[in-house]
Amino acid sequence: SVGTAYGNELSFTTSAALAIGDDYQGGIIFYLNGSGGGLIAAPTDQSNTDWGCSANSISGADGIAIGTGAQNTIDIEAGCASSGIAADVCANLVLSGYTDWFLPSKDELNLMYQNIGPGDALGLGNVGGFASGEYWSSTENTGGGAFRQNFVNGNQATNYGKGTSLYVRAVRAF
């Protein structure tokens, strides 16, 4: 019989485990779900704008928990035709080749503050480079108000006037 010998050398390439604070897929990881996925924040703020449609209640834009921001954003886009509002800026963002960005829910925004923002729960510092100010979430509270988070002291306000201009930071899931 005839055969080919390749020797006894093998090489493998392994990647390090992902961690909160890592640069990954166009942003900064701020949440890992334990199953290989998680959430990434854009590396910079997208704008300083209003939530939009301050006199109208947006059906379905009331998700609070981790994993609800994308659907909130879809619902805001469907229920509010105003361009340039917080959800619209995120939904239309193209960054590092990724087009699936959205405005984070109340709980997603809080994790950003805690894990890669000034909350510094993990001792990483403000790796997200967040401004000392207030950021919009995609979670509506009433027709005239939505949740926002203060990135100075961590407070989350309910029913904050949707016509107010606040910082916007897009996120995406992986």
Side-chain angles (χ1 to χ4, degrees):
S1 74
V2 177
T4 304
Y6 290 100
N8 59 358
E9 292 185 32
L10 298 174
S11 64
F12 295 94
T13 303
T14 58
S15 58
L18 296 175
I20 292 174
D22 286 353
D23 289 333
Y24 187 67
Q25 293 186 354
I28 305 164
I29 297 173
F30 70 93
Y31 169 73
L32 294 168
N33 66 13
S35 299
L39 294 171
I40 297 167
T44 59
D45 294 336
Q46 277 54 68
S47 70
N48 191 298
T49 190
D50 62 329
W51 198 91
C53 292
S54 57
N56 303 329
S57 182
I58 306 295
S59 178
D62 57 357
I64 292 172
I66 306 302
T68 60
Q71 186 61 52
N72 284 350
T73 302
I74 291 167
D75 294 337
I76 295 164
E77 285 282 272
C80 184
S82 301
S83 64
I85 61 171
D88 188 59
V89 167
C90 295
N92 290 300
L93 180 64
V94 178
L95 185 61
S96 298
Y98 295 96
T99 59
D100 57 347
W101 299 93
F102 57 90
L103 187 63
S105 71
K106 174 185 175 288
D107 288 356
E108 292 164 346
L109 184 61
N110 190 51
L111 277 180
M112 271 198 292
Y113 170 78
Q114 291 175 349
N115 292 345
I116 63 169
D120 202 17
L122 304 175
L124 301 175
N126 185 3
V127 296
F130 293 94
S132 294
E134 297 174 323
Y135 285 80
W136 278 123
S137 82
S138 62
T139 307
E140 184 180 55
N141 190 26
T142 65
F147 287 90
R148 64 93 179 129
Q149 179 138 4
N150 187 315
F151 269 59
V152 175
N153 58 23
N155 289 338
Q156 290 186 313
T158 60
N159 207 27
Y160 203 72
K162 295 191 302 187
T164 307
S165 286
L166 301 179
Y167 290 104
V168 174
R169 180 72 66 108
V171 302
R172 60 179 300 275
F174 68 95

